[in-house]
Amino acid sequence: MKYIVGVARIFVGILFIISGFVKLNDPLGFSYKLQEYFSEGVLGLEFLQPFALGLAVFLVVFELLLGVMLILGYAKKFTLWSLLLMIIFFTFLTFYSAYFNKVTDCGCFGDALPLTPWESFTKDVILLVLILLLFFQRKYYTPLFQPASSHKWIVFLTFTGCLCFAYYVLMHLPLIDFRAYKEGVKIEEGMQVPDGKIIPPIHDFGFYNQEGDSTDEILNEDKVLVVVAYNLSKSENQGWSAIKSAVEKAQKKGYRVVGLSASGPQEIQKIKDTYGYNFNFYFTDETAIKTIVRSNPGLMTLENGTIIQKEHWNDADDLNLN
């Protein structure tokens, strides 16, 4: 039993660390998933939606820390109770999502490993069994190494590192891009269904306006700068000022500059009038836009439909315009 508990402890700890890190790499993406859970059609907790980002950062940091604490054997009672309560809650949530078909991807591993609702529920049931084993056989759960007093400093450094990392990716972009719109992807190829799959990696995407569908036309341009903003009313005013020099530079270098948003004509005109922009905006699905760049607004350059570079508005000056 001692060895079984030891293996379970390491397995659960590593899984929590990996799951926490993948979501910590993209806390904004995880916050979108929480907003989906909080929506009227799922849990009906709309009052929590404005706090989704803060909750996302707290949950992923806590998840990662619990994995570290479990492996170290630090604060045994607190760690085991926290793990048990967390996995009970998420097992209920994934079962609810799967049974009632409410959320098609739990976001457990972010975009790195999409899971169906029933796959997520099965994963949580396995974790629940292992955590219950650890909980009821905690007499075999001892500190990983001595002195145990050093554990708190490891936990503190991990916590500090997590906060710094979260701040960095929120002020820039995810360090590792697991999404379908990563740099180097040819969008037209991503819109095709791969062998053995049902849904293409890139879907609900296009460049549309009152004149019709301009997707093929724009994807065949030699050089395009796309200003991406999923919702103009929620976009950051500082961001629109920060990207202006990059937009002007791109226009001088012969780039076709276009906007991509899910907002309506009035909001588009307001942005144009406020910041003096003269490029055309196109419409596409809001979820697709949120997936392209985790920045509102953000920048993306295309060459013949291939994604060359993406930047947060904080890094607009780093945009490489040939």
Side-chain angles (χ1 to χ4, degrees):
M1 181 58 67
K2 179 180 179 180
Y3 293 108
I4 294 173
V5 169
V7 171
R9 166 185 175 179
I10 297 300
F11 177 79
V12 173
I14 290 175
L15 198 64
F16 267 68
I17 290 171
I18 292 173
S19 175
F21 175 77
V22 168
K23 293 193 289 290
L24 187 62
N25 174 68
D26 185 13
L28 197 58
F30 185 51
S31 75
Y32 295 152
K33 184 59 62 176
L34 289 182
Q35 288 176 357
E36 187 178 353
Y37 275 114
F38 295 151
S39 65
E40 182 180 359
V42 185
L43 296 177
L45 301 173
E46 297 94 331
F47 69 93
L48 288 177
Q49 288 183 330
F51 311 103
L53 181 57
L55 286 170
V57 173
F58 170 78
L59 285 173
V60 297
V61 171
F62 190 50
E63 181 180 13
L64 196 153
L65 282 177
L66 283 178
V68 172
M69 292 163 67
L70 179 65
I71 291 174
L72 290 175
Y74 177 71
K76 179 169 70 173
K77 186 176 180 180
F78 173 81
T79 300
L80 290 176
W81 270 107
S82 297
L83 285 168
L84 183 59
L85 293 175
M86 180 177 279
I87 199 60
I88 288 174
F89 172 73
F90 282 114
T91 302
F92 160 76
L93 197 62
T94 53
F95 172 77
Y96 178 84
S97 298
Y99 187 80
F100 294 101
N101 195 28
K102 293 292 186 178
V103 179
T104 56
D105 175 15
C106 73
C108 304
F109 294 97
D111 292 298
L113 182 60
L115 297 176
T116 66
W118 285 114
E119 287 172 344
S120 301
F121 173 66
T122 302
K123 180 263 299 177
D124 285 342
V125 169
I126 294 171
L127 281 174
L128 177 60
V129 171
L130 292 175
I131 291 171
L132 283 171
L133 173 67
L134 293 170
F135 189 84
F136 289 110
Q137 298 295 331
R138 53 186 177 272
K139 64 182 178 181
Y140 298 108
Y141 173 40
T142 57
L144 184 63
F145 58 82
Q146 300 293 340
S149 58
S150 63
H151 293 175
K152 64 182 179 181
W153 294 108
I154 297 174
V155 173
F156 174 74
L157 290 174
T158 302
F159 173 71
T160 304
C162 286
L163 291 184
C164 292
F165 185 66
Y167 179 79
Y168 175 83
V169 295
L170 285 172
M171 292 299 102
H172 303 279
L173 290 178
L175 192 64
I176 306 171
D177 193 349
F178 295 108
R179 289 159 290 155
Y181 298 89
K182 62 176 67 72
E183 292 177 357
V185 166
K186 190 170 181 61
I187 292 177
E188 287 183 326
E189 293 179 359
M191 296 171 75
Q192 299 173 7
V193 181
D195 293 338
K197 301 290 184 179
I198 300 175
I199 297 173
I202 295 177
H203 53 91
D204 298 327
F205 172 85
F207 293 89
Y208 307 98
N209 61 11
Q210 293 178 342
E211 298 175 2
D213 184 356
S214 299
T215 306
D216 291 338
E217 175 191 338
I218 293 174
L219 293 182
N220 283 294
E221 290 272 0
D222 289 338
K223 297 190 297 185
V224 181
L225 172 62
V226 186
V227 179
V228 182
Y230 74 90
N231 188 314
L232 297 179
S233 64
K234 296 180 180 179
S235 60
E236 300 183 61
N237 294 333
Q238 187 180 353
W240 290 106
S241 299
I243 67 172
K244 188 160 189 179
S245 60
V247 169
E248 292 174 348
K249 184 179 177 182
Q251 289 173 329
K252 289 178 182 177
K253 292 206 168 205
Y255 278 75
R256 177 174 179 176
V257 179
V258 299
L260 190 61
S261 178
S263 298
Q266 292 183 341
E267 293 171 308
I268 291 172
Q269 193 59 49
K270 183 179 178 181
I271 288 292
K272 286 184 172 184
D273 293 341
T274 302
Y275 299 98
Y277 289 122
N278 59 3
F279 54 83
N280 293 325
F281 273 79
Y282 294 84
F283 177 86
T284 201
D285 179 72
E286 182 173 310
T287 300
I289 298 175
K290 285 180 176 179
T291 308
I292 295 169
V293 181
R294 300 296 199 208
S295 177
N296 189 28
L299 299 171
M300 174 175 67
T301 58
L302 302 174
E303 290 183 7
N304 297 308
T306 298
I307 300 173
I308 302 301
Q309 190 175 0
K310 299 192 298 185
E311 294 291 353
H312 191 284
W313 60 260
N314 272 324
D315 302 313
D317 291 340
D318 296 335
L319 199 66
N320 185 16
L321 298 169
N322 298 320

